[in-house]
Amino acid sequence: MAEEFDLIQHWFTRTSRREDIRVGIGDDAAVLHPPQQQDLVLAVDTLIEGVHFPLSTPPEAIGYKSLAVNLSDLAAMGADPAWATLALSLPTADEAWLADFSKGFFGLAEQYDVALVGGDTTRGNLTITVQVCGHLPINQALRRSAAEPGDGIYVTGTLGDAGLALEWLSGKRNLSDTEADFVLTRLNWPTPRIEAGRALRGIAHAAIDISDGLLADLMHILSASGMGADLQAQSIPLSETVRKQAGGLLLALSAGDDYELVFTLPESTEADMLCQMADIGVSVTQIGQISAHPGLRIFDGAGQPMPIARTGYNHFSGAI
Ligand code: ADP
Ligand code: MG
């Protein structure tokens, strides 16, 4: 882009309080000084207009969410976020769009003291790739493969809200203005559970963030750990808005984009976890247990197995 340099200077160069950046935006590459005795944690995610967010998404929300989904990956590892790079492909250099996008991006970046240290700007369909880098004490990453038999399975927040927003946007649901506002906020402004992930270091076994739906993401933990799970359907945390909807449970089980954490831990660390989550003001609900018996089973309020087909999630036919 001819005006690329001016654009970057204007919208993406911010001073940061961080003292671990030797070279930031403006050279051929960033030079960072990672903390001693920590492991580095890297994640990258691409958002494509019309694929990962609806065309109607406000640019400020796009800026926020492009960083939030990456921070959510760091949260799921238990990492402290530190630096980010941003590869931006734009159809036009629209100043108003850039102003809003950068407001959303930096609003969240400043909240977690994440510095934007580099990137790339090209002309093309609207595509945003953010890479984040964080760190954590050596060998304390929360891995998908670490679930053990007897672990409780827990989730943060409520599930299905973002999925309901997508159905409302496509005209499949009727919601009041207040309900629509609530679910759109959950879709466009997901809270990365950074503090929760940090609190889980050293006390949780396995963790993952819910980007593709509870069942799909929990299955990643089960496959990686070689375990099974028993879930209690009536324990799955639903907001009032989702609870009122026909098929609300189905949304909570199979719709993505909530960016809550699902994690497992043994009974011995449960009290510690609940205490820490209460301190940081994050709600946590136990939804089931890890079992050595492979497969994912869901039970209704009467303790009867629910056929997984009824949840509408077909990918599991082989696993049940
Ligand atoms: P090069 O050709 O060496 O890759 P660029 O002209 O692409 O250099 O970028 C110049 C500087 O601006 C680099 O430090 C790069 O990291 C930074 N930069 C480019 N685009 C972005 C962006 N969208 N966000 C943040 N930094 C960017
Ligand atoms: Mg470049």
Side-chain angles (χ1 to χ4, degrees):
M1 257 186 204
E3 67 278 57
E4 182 186 358
F5 184 73
D6 291 344
L7 276 182
I8 297 162
Q9 275 297 111
H10 193 76
W11 296 111
F12 298 115
T13 312
R14 301 266 178 121
T15 48
S16 165
R17 281 175 301 166
R18 299 197 70 91
E19 291 174 352
D20 50 14
I21 303 165
R22 299 210 197 281
V23 180
I25 289 179
D27 214 313
D28 297 309
V31 182
L32 309 167
H33 186 64
Q36 303 287 307
Q37 301 303 315
Q38 297 253 313
D39 286 337
L40 287 179
V41 185
L42 275 171
V44 63
D45 252 320
T46 293
L47 271 68
I48 301 172
E49 183 177 51
V51 179
H52 301 100
F53 56 89
L55 302 181
S56 62
T57 311
E60 190 178 340
I62 300 172
Y64 174 95
K65 193 168 175 178
S66 64
L67 180 59
V69 299
N70 278 283
L71 293 183
S72 177
D73 281 324
L74 291 191
M77 301 306 288
D80 295 313
W83 314 289
T85 59
L86 166 67
L88 198 52
S89 170
L90 295 168
T92 57
D94 177 339
E95 291 280 320
W97 190 93
L98 283 165
D100 286 353
F101 176 91
S102 107
K103 189 171 171 212
F105 186 95
F106 285 107
L108 182 60
E110 278 154 22
Q111 194 179 326
Y112 288 103
D113 206 6
V114 172
L116 183 66
V117 294
D120 193 30
T121 312
T122 52
R123 196 182 293 280
N125 293 335
L126 181 56
T127 306
I128 302 120
T129 301
V130 174
Q131 181 182 49
V132 286
C133 185
H135 46 78
L136 44 67
I138 289 172
N139 277 331
Q140 282 204 23
L142 303 168
R143 302 169 62 155
R144 297 179 179 187
S145 55
E148 290 184 20
D151 279 1
I153 303 170
Y154 304 80
V155 291
T156 59
T158 57
L159 302 181
D161 303 316
L164 179 55
L166 286 169
E167 294 203 344
W168 177 77
L169 284 169
S170 62
K172 290 191 206 143
R173 299 268 178 179
N174 282 319
L175 296 175
S176 71
D177 288 353
T178 323
E179 289 173 330
D181 275 358
F182 165 71
V183 295
L184 278 179
T185 302
R186 293 278 290 153
L187 175 69
N188 288 335
W189 305 87
T191 304
R193 298 295 189 187
I194 291 291
E195 295 85 356
R198 188 183 290 141
L200 293 174
R201 285 200 303 240
I203 62 175
H205 283 158
I208 190 169
D209 66 324
I210 305 179
S211 52
D212 298 333
L214 172 65
L215 295 186
D217 289 314
L218 179 58
M219 272 308 286
H220 292 313
I221 288 185
L222 301 183
S223 313
S225 302
M227 292 288 144
D230 299 301
L231 298 186
Q232 283 80 45
Q234 84 280 6
S235 302
I236 292 171
L238 308 180
S239 62
E240 276 311 303
T241 308
V242 166
R243 194 180 298 280
K244 276 197 254 164
Q245 294 289 314
L249 175 63
L250 176 56
L251 282 171
L253 290 173
S254 55
D257 273 280
D258 284 316
Y259 296 99
E260 297 294 345
L261 297 182
V262 55
F263 58 91
T264 85
L265 48 77
E267 217 181 323
S268 57
T269 60
E270 186 190 44
D272 187 3
M273 179 274 291
L274 290 173
C275 189
Q276 296 207 46
M277 293 295 177
D279 279 353
I280 58 177
V282 172
S283 71
V284 171
T285 312
Q286 182 170 4
I287 59 168
Q289 304 79 34
I290 294 290
S291 154
H293 177 50
L296 177 52
R297 296 157 295 272
I298 308 183
F299 299 91
D300 65 18
Q304 293 303 308
M306 296 173 69
I308 216 85
R310 247 172 65 194
T311 70
Y313 205 89
N314 296 325
H315 297 42
F316 294 98
S317 43
I320 303 304

